[in-house]
Amino acid sequence: MLLFRGKESNPRSLAKAVNWRVLGSIDTFLLGLLFTHDVKAAGAIASTEVITKIGLYYFHERAWAQSGWGLTPQQKAAFDAEHTPS
């Protein structure tokens, strides 16, 4: 599948997604606690959003791995060579 052919491996993208979500979930929990003053509500908010956002971030990373946008000319040439069908 085209979405999964990039320079980064799938496990690396997944590890980055999980790592980012841990940090994001701590932030979400603290904000939920700040606004609701309720540990249970803050936990429910943080645990619900973690599942969807890991998936969204993973697919976002894989899509960017397919894009040559913003690369230097040398990087773009290498990217194009890798993504040109044989």
Side-chain angles (χ1 to χ4, degrees), residues 24-64:
S25 293
I26 291 168
D27 177 61
T28 299
F29 175 81
L30 292 173
L31 287 171
L33 188 58
L34 177 71
F35 289 114
T36 66
H37 304 287
D38 182 349
V39 173
K40 283 179 117 175
I45 293 166
S47 61
T48 301
E49 61 90 41
V50 71
I51 295 166
T52 59
K53 289 188 179 171
I54 285 175
L56 288 170
Y57 182 82
Y58 176 79
F59 286 108
H60 176 263
E61 278 288 307
R62 301 315 301 162
W64 270 100

PDB file of all heavy atoms in Angstrom, residues 24-64:
ATOM      1  N   GLY A  24       1.033  14.002  25.254  1.00  0.00           N
ATOM      2  CA  GLY A  24      -0.232  14.687  24.994  1.00  0.00           C
ATOM      3  C   GLY A  24      -1.314  14.313  25.986  1.00  0.00           C
ATOM      4  O   GLY A  24      -2.123  15.153  26.391  1.00  0.00           O
ATOM      5  N   SER A  25      -1.344  13.057  26.407  1.00  0.00           N
ATOM      6  CA  SER A  25      -2.367  12.615  27.356  1.00  0.00           C
ATOM      7  C   SER A  25      -2.140  13.199  28.740  1.00  0.00           C
ATOM      8  O   SER A  25      -3.100  13.513  29.449  1.00  0.00           O
ATOM      9  CB  SER A  25      -2.400  11.092  27.418  1.00  0.00           C
ATOM     10  OG  SER A  25      -2.849  10.593  26.175  1.00  0.00           O
ATOM     11  N   ILE A  26      -0.884  13.338  29.123  1.00  0.00           N
ATOM     12  CA  ILE A  26      -0.592  13.996  30.400  1.00  0.00           C
ATOM     13  C   ILE A  26      -1.103  15.434  30.352  1.00  0.00           C
ATOM     14  O   ILE A  26      -1.760  15.912  31.288  1.00  0.00           O
ATOM     15  CB  ILE A  26       0.912  13.933  30.723  1.00  0.00           C
ATOM     16  CG1 ILE A  26       1.318  12.490  31.033  1.00  0.00           C
ATOM     17  CG2 ILE A  26       1.264  14.861  31.893  1.00  0.00           C
ATOM     18  CD1 ILE A  26       2.822  12.264  31.086  1.00  0.00           C
ATOM     19  N   ASP A  27      -0.828  16.103  29.245  1.00  0.00           N
ATOM     20  CA  ASP A  27      -1.312  17.475  29.060  1.00  0.00           C
ATOM     21  C   ASP A  27      -2.837  17.531  29.093  1.00  0.00           C
ATOM     22  O   ASP A  27      -3.430  18.371  29.773  1.00  0.00           O
ATOM     23  CB  ASP A  27      -0.784  18.026  27.732  1.00  0.00           C
ATOM     24  CG  ASP A  27      -1.301  19.419  27.443  1.00  0.00           C
ATOM     25  OD1 ASP A  27      -1.016  20.334  28.235  1.00  0.00           O
ATOM     26  OD2 ASP A  27      -1.992  19.574  26.418  1.00  0.00           O
ATOM     27  N   THR A  28      -3.487  16.627  28.378  1.00  0.00           N
ATOM     28  CA  THR A  28      -4.955  16.596  28.339  1.00  0.00           C
ATOM     29  C   THR A  28      -5.530  16.320  29.721  1.00  0.00           C
ATOM     30  O   THR A  28      -6.513  16.945  30.132  1.00  0.00           O
ATOM     31  CB  THR A  28      -5.449  15.532  27.338  1.00  0.00           C
ATOM     32  OG1 THR A  28      -4.957  15.872  26.043  1.00  0.00           O
ATOM     33  CG2 THR A  28      -6.964  15.449  27.302  1.00  0.00           C
ATOM     34  N   PHE A  29      -4.911  15.384  30.449  1.00  0.00           N
ATOM     35  CA  PHE A  29      -5.381  15.081  31.803  1.00  0.00           C
ATOM     36  C   PHE A  29      -5.283  16.320  32.699  1.00  0.00           C
ATOM     37  O   PHE A  29      -6.230  16.654  33.406  1.00  0.00           O
ATOM     38  CB  PHE A  29      -4.574  13.931  32.403  1.00  0.00           C
ATOM     39  CG  PHE A  29      -4.935  13.652  33.830  1.00  0.00           C
ATOM     40  CD1 PHE A  29      -6.050  12.897  34.140  1.00  0.00           C
ATOM     41  CD2 PHE A  29      -4.166  14.159  34.868  1.00  0.00           C
ATOM     42  CE1 PHE A  29      -6.402  12.655  35.469  1.00  0.00           C
ATOM     43  CE2 PHE A  29      -4.504  13.926  36.189  1.00  0.00           C
ATOM     44  CZ  PHE A  29      -5.625  13.170  36.493  1.00  0.00           C
ATOM     45  N   LEU A  30      -4.124  16.996  32.642  1.00  0.00           N
ATOM     46  CA  LEU A  30      -3.940  18.179  33.483  1.00  0.00           C
ATOM     47  C   LEU A  30      -4.912  19.297  33.115  1.00  0.00           C
ATOM     48  O   LEU A  30      -5.472  19.956  33.995  1.00  0.00           O
ATOM     49  CB  LEU A  30      -2.495  18.668  33.408  1.00  0.00           C
ATOM     50  CG  LEU A  30      -1.462  17.727  34.044  1.00  0.00           C
ATOM     51  CD1 LEU A  30      -0.047  18.225  33.771  1.00  0.00           C
ATOM     52  CD2 LEU A  30      -1.714  17.549  35.531  1.00  0.00           C
ATOM     53  N   LEU A  31      -5.148  19.493  31.833  1.00  0.00           N
ATOM     54  CA  LEU A  31      -6.123  20.501  31.421  1.00  0.00           C
ATOM     55  C   LEU A  31      -7.536  20.103  31.837  1.00  0.00           C
ATOM     56  O   LEU A  31      -8.315  20.944  32.297  1.00  0.00           O
ATOM     57  CB  LEU A  31      -6.061  20.729  29.908  1.00  0.00           C
ATOM     58  CG  LEU A  31      -4.836  21.487  29.411  1.00  0.00           C
ATOM     59  CD1 LEU A  31      -4.763  21.456  27.891  1.00  0.00           C
ATOM     60  CD2 LEU A  31      -4.856  22.912  29.926  1.00  0.00           C
ATOM     61  N   GLY A  32      -7.863  18.822  31.676  1.00  0.00           N
ATOM     62  CA  GLY A  32      -9.177  18.339  32.111  1.00  0.00           C
ATOM     63  C   GLY A  32      -9.372  18.539  33.596  1.00  0.00           C
ATOM     64  O   GLY A  32     -10.446  18.948  34.057  1.00  0.00           O
ATOM     65  N   LEU A  33      -8.324  18.271  34.364  1.00  0.00           N
ATOM     66  CA  LEU A  33      -8.386  18.471  35.806  1.00  0.00           C
ATOM     67  C   LEU A  33      -8.527  19.951  36.151  1.00  0.00           C
ATOM     68  O   LEU A  33      -9.323  20.324  37.023  1.00  0.00           O
ATOM     69  CB  LEU A  33      -7.129  17.889  36.460  1.00  0.00           C
ATOM     70  CG  LEU A  33      -7.083  17.821  37.971  1.00  0.00           C
ATOM     71  CD1 LEU A  33      -8.247  16.998  38.518  1.00  0.00           C
ATOM     72  CD2 LEU A  33      -5.752  17.236  38.422  1.00  0.00           C
ATOM     73  N   LEU A  34      -7.797  20.779  35.436  1.00  0.00           N
ATOM     74  CA  LEU A  34      -7.875  22.221  35.669  1.00  0.00           C
ATOM     75  C   LEU A  34      -9.288  22.759  35.419  1.00  0.00           C
ATOM     76  O   LEU A  34      -9.807  23.544  36.206  1.00  0.00           O
ATOM     77  CB  LEU A  34      -6.874  22.948  34.756  1.00  0.00           C
ATOM     78  CG  LEU A  34      -6.877  24.476  34.819  1.00  0.00           C
ATOM     79  CD1 LEU A  34      -6.303  24.950  36.142  1.00  0.00           C
ATOM     80  CD2 LEU A  34      -6.069  25.044  33.661  1.00  0.00           C
ATOM     81  N   PHE A  35      -9.921  22.306  34.347  1.00  0.00           N
ATOM     82  CA  PHE A  35     -11.240  22.819  33.978  1.00  0.00           C
ATOM     83  C   PHE A  35     -12.395  22.164  34.736  1.00  0.00           C
ATOM     84  O   PHE A  35     -13.408  22.801  34.989  1.00  0.00           O
ATOM     85  CB  PHE A  35     -11.475  22.705  32.473  1.00  0.00           C
ATOM     86  CG  PHE A  35     -10.646  23.664  31.676  1.00  0.00           C
ATOM     87  CD1 PHE A  35      -9.658  23.206  30.832  1.00  0.00           C
ATOM     88  CD2 PHE A  35     -10.840  25.029  31.775  1.00  0.00           C
ATOM     89  CE1 PHE A  35      -8.881  24.082  30.088  1.00  0.00           C
ATOM     90  CE2 PHE A  35     -10.072  25.928  31.048  1.00  0.00           C
ATOM     91  CZ  PHE A  35      -9.087  25.455  30.198  1.00  0.00           C
ATOM     92  N   THR A  36     -12.243  20.877  35.083  1.00  0.00           N
ATOM     93  CA  THR A  36     -13.361  20.176  35.726  1.00  0.00           C
ATOM     94  C   THR A  36     -13.191  20.013  37.235  1.00  0.00           C
ATOM     95  O   THR A  36     -14.175  19.775  37.928  1.00  0.00           O
ATOM     96  CB  THR A  36     -13.559  18.774  35.125  1.00  0.00           C
ATOM     97  OG1 THR A  36     -12.415  17.957  35.452  1.00  0.00           O
ATOM     98  CG2 THR A  36     -13.773  18.824  33.627  1.00  0.00           C
ATOM     99  N   HIS A  37     -11.957  20.069  37.720  1.00  0.00           N
ATOM    100  CA  HIS A  37     -11.658  19.814  39.135  1.00  0.00           C
ATOM    101  C   HIS A  37     -12.130  18.427  39.551  1.00  0.00           C
ATOM    102  O   HIS A  37     -12.493  18.214  40.708  1.00  0.00           O
ATOM    103  CB  HIS A  37     -12.276  20.887  40.053  1.00  0.00           C
ATOM    104  CG  HIS A  37     -11.851  22.272  39.699  1.00  0.00           C
ATOM    105  ND1 HIS A  37     -10.590  22.755  39.961  1.00  0.00           N
ATOM    106  CD2 HIS A  37     -12.507  23.280  39.081  1.00  0.00           C
ATOM    107  CE1 HIS A  37     -10.492  23.988  39.539  1.00  0.00           C
ATOM    108  NE2 HIS A  37     -11.651  24.341  38.987  1.00  0.00           N
ATOM    109  N   ASP A  38     -12.137  17.499  38.592  1.00  0.00           N
ATOM    110  CA  ASP A  38     -12.618  16.144  38.839  1.00  0.00           C
ATOM    111  C   ASP A  38     -11.635  15.157  38.209  1.00  0.00           C
ATOM    112  O   ASP A  38     -11.487  15.114  36.982  1.00  0.00           O
ATOM    113  CB  ASP A  38     -14.018  15.986  38.220  1.00  0.00           C
ATOM    114  CG  ASP A  38     -14.640  14.622  38.447  1.00  0.00           C
ATOM    115  OD1 ASP A  38     -13.951  13.691  38.911  1.00  0.00           O
ATOM    116  OD2 ASP A  38     -15.842  14.495  38.152  1.00  0.00           O
ATOM    117  N   VAL A  39     -10.957  14.367  39.059  1.00  0.00           N
ATOM    118  CA  VAL A  39      -9.949  13.423  38.578  1.00  0.00           C
ATOM    119  C   VAL A  39     -10.570  12.387  37.639  1.00  0.00           C
ATOM    120  O   VAL A  39      -9.981  12.037  36.614  1.00  0.00           O
ATOM    121  CB  VAL A  39      -9.226  12.741  39.763  1.00  0.00           C
ATOM    122  CG1 VAL A  39      -8.308  11.638  39.289  1.00  0.00           C
ATOM    123  CG2 VAL A  39      -8.445  13.767  40.572  1.00  0.00           C
ATOM    124  N   LYS A  40     -11.761  11.886  37.980  1.00  0.00           N
ATOM    125  CA  LYS A  40     -12.414  10.876  37.132  1.00  0.00           C
ATOM    126  C   LYS A  40     -12.746  11.436  35.750  1.00  0.00           C
ATOM    127  O   LYS A  40     -12.526  10.778  34.733  1.00  0.00           O
ATOM    128  CB  LYS A  40     -13.693  10.349  37.792  1.00  0.00           C
ATOM    129  CG  LYS A  40     -13.451   9.363  38.902  1.00  0.00           C
ATOM    130  CD  LYS A  40     -14.773   8.938  39.500  1.00  0.00           C
ATOM    131  CE  LYS A  40     -14.969   7.465  39.293  1.00  0.00           C
ATOM    132  NZ  LYS A  40     -16.188   6.974  39.946  1.00  0.00           N
ATOM    133  N   ALA A  41     -13.271  12.639  35.704  1.00  0.00           N
ATOM    134  CA  ALA A  41     -13.610  13.251  34.413  1.00  0.00           C
ATOM    135  C   ALA A  41     -12.342  13.509  33.605  1.00  0.00           C
ATOM    136  O   ALA A  41     -12.301  13.230  32.395  1.00  0.00           O
ATOM    137  CB  ALA A  41     -14.377  14.555  34.629  1.00  0.00           C
ATOM    138  N   ALA A  42     -11.309  14.006  34.245  1.00  0.00           N
ATOM    139  CA  ALA A  42     -10.050  14.272  33.541  1.00  0.00           C
ATOM    140  C   ALA A  42      -9.454  12.975  33.002  1.00  0.00           C
ATOM    141  O   ALA A  42      -8.955  12.931  31.872  1.00  0.00           O
ATOM    142  CB  ALA A  42      -9.063  14.966  34.475  1.00  0.00           C
ATOM    143  N   GLY A  43      -9.527  11.923  33.787  1.00  0.00           N
ATOM    144  CA  GLY A  43      -9.034  10.612  33.336  1.00  0.00           C
ATOM    145  C   GLY A  43      -9.839  10.061  32.182  1.00  0.00           C
ATOM    146  O   GLY A  43      -9.287   9.476  31.241  1.00  0.00           O
ATOM    147  N   ALA A  44     -11.143  10.246  32.223  1.00  0.00           N
ATOM    148  CA  ALA A  44     -12.004   9.775  31.135  1.00  0.00           C
ATOM    149  C   ALA A  44     -11.695  10.519  29.836  1.00  0.00           C
ATOM    150  O   ALA A  44     -11.619   9.914  28.761  1.00  0.00           O
ATOM    151  CB  ALA A  44     -13.471   9.946  31.508  1.00  0.00           C
ATOM    152  N   ILE A  45     -11.503  11.810  29.950  1.00  0.00           N
ATOM    153  CA  ILE A  45     -11.167  12.611  28.764  1.00  0.00           C
ATOM    154  C   ILE A  45      -9.831  12.153  28.190  1.00  0.00           C
ATOM    155  O   ILE A  45      -9.709  11.894  26.992  1.00  0.00           O
ATOM    156  CB  ILE A  45     -11.121  14.113  29.125  1.00  0.00           C
ATOM    157  CG1 ILE A  45     -12.507  14.623  29.493  1.00  0.00           C
ATOM    158  CG2 ILE A  45     -10.529  14.924  27.976  1.00  0.00           C
ATOM    159  CD1 ILE A  45     -12.506  15.989  30.171  1.00  0.00           C
ATOM    160  N   ALA A  46      -8.817  12.041  29.035  1.00  0.00           N
ATOM    161  CA  ALA A  46      -7.476  11.674  28.574  1.00  0.00           C
ATOM    162  C   ALA A  46      -7.440  10.259  27.991  1.00  0.00           C
ATOM    163  O   ALA A  46      -6.810  10.021  26.958  1.00  0.00           O
ATOM    164  CB  ALA A  46      -6.475  11.802  29.719  1.00  0.00           C
ATOM    165  N   SER A  47      -8.126   9.311  28.621  1.00  0.00           N
ATOM    166  CA  SER A  47      -8.083   7.937  28.125  1.00  0.00           C
ATOM    167  C   SER A  47      -8.875   7.754  26.832  1.00  0.00           C
ATOM    168  O   SER A  47      -8.523   6.914  26.007  1.00  0.00           O
ATOM    169  CB  SER A  47      -8.570   6.963  29.196  1.00  0.00           C
ATOM    170  OG  SER A  47      -9.902   7.226  29.552  1.00  0.00           O
ATOM    171  N   THR A  48      -9.913   8.529  26.643  1.00  0.00           N
ATOM    172  CA  THR A  48     -10.690   8.432  25.413  1.00  0.00           C
ATOM    173  C   THR A  48      -9.916   8.974  24.219  1.00  0.00           C
ATOM    174  O   THR A  48      -9.849   8.354  23.166  1.00  0.00           O
ATOM    175  CB  THR A  48     -12.024   9.199  25.555  1.00  0.00           C
ATOM    176  OG1 THR A  48     -12.753   8.639  26.637  1.00  0.00           O
ATOM    177  CG2 THR A  48     -12.834   9.122  24.281  1.00  0.00           C
ATOM    178  N   GLU A  49      -9.306  10.126  24.391  1.00  0.00           N
ATOM    179  CA  GLU A  49      -8.631  10.751  23.260  1.00  0.00           C
ATOM    180  C   GLU A  49      -7.325  10.054  22.885  1.00  0.00           C
ATOM    181  O   GLU A  49      -6.885  10.148  21.752  1.00  0.00           O
ATOM    182  CB  GLU A  49      -8.411  12.240  23.504  1.00  0.00           C
ATOM    183  CG  GLU A  49      -7.548  12.595  24.686  1.00  0.00           C
ATOM    184  CD  GLU A  49      -6.074  12.714  24.355  1.00  0.00           C
ATOM    185  OE1 GLU A  49      -5.734  13.252  23.311  1.00  0.00           O
ATOM    186  OE2 GLU A  49      -5.279  12.252  25.185  1.00  0.00           O
ATOM    187  N   VAL A  50      -6.722   9.321  23.800  1.00  0.00           N
ATOM    188  CA  VAL A  50      -5.437   8.687  23.492  1.00  0.00           C
ATOM    189  C   VAL A  50      -5.570   7.666  22.360  1.00  0.00           C
ATOM    190  O   VAL A  50      -4.718   7.580  21.484  1.00  0.00           O
ATOM    191  CB  VAL A  50      -4.793   8.054  24.748  1.00  0.00           C
ATOM    192  CG1 VAL A  50      -5.522   6.825  25.215  1.00  0.00           C
ATOM    193  CG2 VAL A  50      -3.339   7.740  24.478  1.00  0.00           C
ATOM    194  N   ILE A  51      -6.641   6.920  22.353  1.00  0.00           N
ATOM    195  CA  ILE A  51      -6.815   5.868  21.348  1.00  0.00           C
ATOM    196  C   ILE A  51      -6.955   6.453  19.942  1.00  0.00           C
ATOM    197  O   ILE A  51      -6.267   6.031  19.017  1.00  0.00           O
ATOM    198  CB  ILE A  51      -8.027   4.988  21.703  1.00  0.00           C
ATOM    199  CG1 ILE A  51      -7.737   4.248  23.013  1.00  0.00           C
ATOM    200  CG2 ILE A  51      -8.343   4.005  20.587  1.00  0.00           C
ATOM    201  CD1 ILE A  51      -8.935   3.610  23.647  1.00  0.00           C
ATOM    202  N   THR A  52      -7.808   7.427  19.790  1.00  0.00           N
ATOM    203  CA  THR A  52      -8.011   7.996  18.455  1.00  0.00           C
ATOM    204  C   THR A  52      -6.785   8.771  17.982  1.00  0.00           C
ATOM    205  O   THR A  52      -6.414   8.698  16.808  1.00  0.00           O
ATOM    206  CB  THR A  52      -9.232   8.925  18.422  1.00  0.00           C
ATOM    207  OG1 THR A  52      -9.056   9.977  19.372  1.00  0.00           O
ATOM    208  CG2 THR A  52     -10.502   8.167  18.729  1.00  0.00           C
ATOM    209  N   LYS A  53      -6.121   9.463  18.872  1.00  0.00           N
ATOM    210  CA  LYS A  53      -5.004  10.299  18.447  1.00  0.00           C
ATOM    211  C   LYS A  53      -3.749   9.506  18.106  1.00  0.00           C
ATOM    212  O   LYS A  53      -2.953   9.950  17.290  1.00  0.00           O
ATOM    213  CB  LYS A  53      -4.737  11.387  19.472  1.00  0.00           C
ATOM    214  CG  LYS A  53      -5.859  12.419  19.427  1.00  0.00           C
ATOM    215  CD  LYS A  53      -5.565  13.613  20.260  1.00  0.00           C
ATOM    216  CE  LYS A  53      -6.723  14.602  20.142  1.00  0.00           C
ATOM    217  NZ  LYS A  53      -6.590  15.688  21.087  1.00  0.00           N
ATOM    218  N   ILE A  54      -3.552   8.336  18.696  1.00  0.00           N
ATOM    219  CA  ILE A  54      -2.423   7.491  18.279  1.00  0.00           C
ATOM    220  C   ILE A  54      -2.616   7.099  16.822  1.00  0.00           C
ATOM    221  O   ILE A  54      -1.709   7.198  16.009  1.00  0.00           O
ATOM    222  CB  ILE A  54      -2.267   6.246  19.177  1.00  0.00           C
ATOM    223  CG1 ILE A  54      -1.673   6.636  20.525  1.00  0.00           C
ATOM    224  CG2 ILE A  54      -1.366   5.204  18.500  1.00  0.00           C
ATOM    225  CD1 ILE A  54      -1.602   5.494  21.518  1.00  0.00           C
ATOM    226  N   GLY A  55      -3.804   6.651  16.486  1.00  0.00           N
ATOM    227  CA  GLY A  55      -4.074   6.267  15.098  1.00  0.00           C
ATOM    228  C   GLY A  55      -3.952   7.429  14.136  1.00  0.00           C
ATOM    229  O   GLY A  55      -3.336   7.314  13.074  1.00  0.00           O
ATOM    230  N   LEU A  56      -4.498   8.561  14.504  1.00  0.00           N
ATOM    231  CA  LEU A  56      -4.417   9.740  13.636  1.00  0.00           C
ATOM    232  C   LEU A  56      -2.972  10.172  13.411  1.00  0.00           C
ATOM    233  O   LEU A  56      -2.564  10.470  12.285  1.00  0.00           O
ATOM    234  CB  LEU A  56      -5.220  10.897  14.245  1.00  0.00           C
ATOM    235  CG  LEU A  56      -6.728  10.762  14.193  1.00  0.00           C
ATOM    236  CD1 LEU A  56      -7.375  11.859  15.037  1.00  0.00           C
ATOM    237  CD2 LEU A  56      -7.227  10.815  12.764  1.00  0.00           C
ATOM    238  N   TYR A  57      -2.180  10.180  14.471  1.00  0.00           N
ATOM    239  CA  TYR A  57      -0.777  10.584  14.341  1.00  0.00           C
ATOM    240  C   TYR A  57       0.003   9.598  13.483  1.00  0.00           C
ATOM    241  O   TYR A  57       0.802   9.990  12.634  1.00  0.00           O
ATOM    242  CB  TYR A  57      -0.118  10.717  15.721  1.00  0.00           C
ATOM    243  CG  TYR A  57       1.311  11.183  15.625  1.00  0.00           C
ATOM    244  CD1 TYR A  57       1.610  12.527  15.474  1.00  0.00           C
ATOM    245  CD2 TYR A  57       2.357  10.278  15.670  1.00  0.00           C
ATOM    246  CE1 TYR A  57       2.921  12.957  15.376  1.00  0.00           C
ATOM    247  CE2 TYR A  57       3.670  10.694  15.571  1.00  0.00           C
ATOM    248  CZ  TYR A  57       3.949  12.036  15.430  1.00  0.00           C
ATOM    249  OH  TYR A  57       5.241  12.455  15.325  1.00  0.00           O
ATOM    250  N   TYR A  58      -0.218   8.309  13.677  1.00  0.00           N
ATOM    251  CA  TYR A  58       0.472   7.280  12.897  1.00  0.00           C
ATOM    252  C   TYR A  58       0.212   7.464  11.401  1.00  0.00           C
ATOM    253  O   TYR A  58       1.152   7.510  10.595  1.00  0.00           O
ATOM    254  CB  TYR A  58       0.028   5.886  13.349  1.00  0.00           C
ATOM    255  CG  TYR A  58       0.631   4.785  12.520  1.00  0.00           C
ATOM    256  CD1 TYR A  58       1.928   4.374  12.751  1.00  0.00           C
ATOM    257  CD2 TYR A  58      -0.092   4.172  11.510  1.00  0.00           C
ATOM    258  CE1 TYR A  58       2.491   3.367  11.984  1.00  0.00           C
ATOM    259  CE2 TYR A  58       0.457   3.173  10.748  1.00  0.00           C
ATOM    260  CZ  TYR A  58       1.755   2.771  10.986  1.00  0.00           C
ATOM    261  OH  TYR A  58       2.307   1.786  10.218  1.00  0.00           O
ATOM    262  N   PHE A  59      -1.041   7.600  11.019  1.00  0.00           N
ATOM    263  CA  PHE A  59      -1.357   7.779   9.601  1.00  0.00           C
ATOM    264  C   PHE A  59      -0.868   9.130   9.085  1.00  0.00           C
ATOM    265  O   PHE A  59      -0.455   9.238   7.928  1.00  0.00           O
ATOM    266  CB  PHE A  59      -2.854   7.574   9.343  1.00  0.00           C
ATOM    267  CG  PHE A  59      -3.225   6.128   9.408  1.00  0.00           C
ATOM    268  CD1 PHE A  59      -3.960   5.639  10.468  1.00  0.00           C
ATOM    269  CD2 PHE A  59      -2.816   5.244   8.426  1.00  0.00           C
ATOM    270  CE1 PHE A  59      -4.283   4.291  10.544  1.00  0.00           C
ATOM    271  CE2 PHE A  59      -3.129   3.896   8.485  1.00  0.00           C
ATOM    272  CZ  PHE A  59      -3.861   3.420   9.552  1.00  0.00           C
ATOM    273  N   HIS A  60      -0.864  10.134   9.921  1.00  0.00           N
ATOM    274  CA  HIS A  60      -0.314  11.445   9.553  1.00  0.00           C
ATOM    275  C   HIS A  60       1.175  11.314   9.235  1.00  0.00           C
ATOM    276  O   HIS A  60       1.667  11.831   8.218  1.00  0.00           O
ATOM    277  CB  HIS A  60      -0.539  12.415  10.723  1.00  0.00           C
ATOM    278  CG  HIS A  60       0.061  13.757  10.532  1.00  0.00           C
ATOM    279  ND1 HIS A  60       1.290  14.087  11.060  1.00  0.00           N
ATOM    280  CD2 HIS A  60      -0.373  14.856   9.876  1.00  0.00           C
ATOM    281  CE1 HIS A  60       1.574  15.335  10.733  1.00  0.00           C
ATOM    282  NE2 HIS A  60       0.584  15.823  10.012  1.00  0.00           N
ATOM    283  N   GLU A  61       1.919  10.603  10.083  1.00  0.00           N
ATOM    284  CA  GLU A  61       3.349  10.377   9.857  1.00  0.00           C
ATOM    285  C   GLU A  61       3.595   9.607   8.562  1.00  0.00           C
ATOM    286  O   GLU A  61       4.494   9.929   7.796  1.00  0.00           O
ATOM    287  CB  GLU A  61       3.952   9.584  11.021  1.00  0.00           C
ATOM    288  CG  GLU A  61       4.295  10.411  12.213  1.00  0.00           C
ATOM    289  CD  GLU A  61       5.516  11.282  11.965  1.00  0.00           C
ATOM    290  OE1 GLU A  61       6.569  10.773  11.553  1.00  0.00           O
ATOM    291  OE2 GLU A  61       5.403  12.498  12.179  1.00  0.00           O
ATOM    292  N   ARG A  62       2.797   8.577   8.326  1.00  0.00           N
ATOM    293  CA  ARG A  62       2.996   7.753   7.123  1.00  0.00           C
ATOM    294  C   ARG A  62       2.682   8.563   5.870  1.00  0.00           C
ATOM    295  O   ARG A  62       3.351   8.427   4.847  1.00  0.00           O
ATOM    296  CB  ARG A  62       2.125   6.486   7.177  1.00  0.00           C
ATOM    297  CG  ARG A  62       2.387   5.572   8.370  1.00  0.00           C
ATOM    298  CD  ARG A  62       3.843   5.303   8.687  1.00  0.00           C
ATOM    299  NE  ARG A  62       4.533   4.699   7.567  1.00  0.00           N
ATOM    300  CZ  ARG A  62       5.859   4.668   7.426  1.00  0.00           C
ATOM    301  NH1 ARG A  62       6.637   5.205   8.340  1.00  0.00           N
ATOM    302  NH2 ARG A  62       6.404   4.106   6.375  1.00  0.00           N
ATOM    303  N   ALA A  63       1.685   9.410   5.928  1.00  0.00           N
ATOM    304  CA  ALA A  63       1.359  10.257   4.777  1.00  0.00           C
ATOM    305  C   ALA A  63       2.496  11.241   4.500  1.00  0.00           C
ATOM    306  O   ALA A  63       2.900  11.430   3.348  1.00  0.00           O
ATOM    307  CB  ALA A  63       0.049  11.005   5.023  1.00  0.00           C
ATOM    308  N   TRP A  64       3.043  11.868   5.544  1.00  0.00           N
ATOM    309  CA  TRP A  64       4.165  12.798   5.353  1.00  0.00           C
ATOM    310  C   TRP A  64       5.402  12.080   4.834  1.00  0.00           C
ATOM    311  O   TRP A  64       6.204  12.663   4.099  1.00  0.00           O
ATOM    312  CB  TRP A  64       4.493  13.531   6.656  1.00  0.00           C
ATOM    313  CG  TRP A  64       3.714  14.795   6.774  1.00  0.00           C
ATOM    314  CD1 TRP A  64       2.582  14.992   7.500  1.00  0.00           C
ATOM    315  CD2 TRP A  64       4.003  16.050   6.135  1.00  0.00           C
ATOM    316  NE1 TRP A  64       2.147  16.287   7.349  1.00  0.00           N
ATOM    317  CE2 TRP A  64       3.004  16.958   6.523  1.00  0.00           C
ATOM    318  CE3 TRP A  64       5.005  16.481   5.286  1.00  0.00           C
ATOM    319  CZ2 TRP A  64       2.981  18.277   6.079  1.00  0.00           C
ATOM    320  CZ3 TRP A  64       4.980  17.796   4.848  1.00  0.00           C
ATOM    321  CH2 TRP A  64       3.975  18.674   5.243  1.00  0.00           C
TER     322      TRP A  64
END
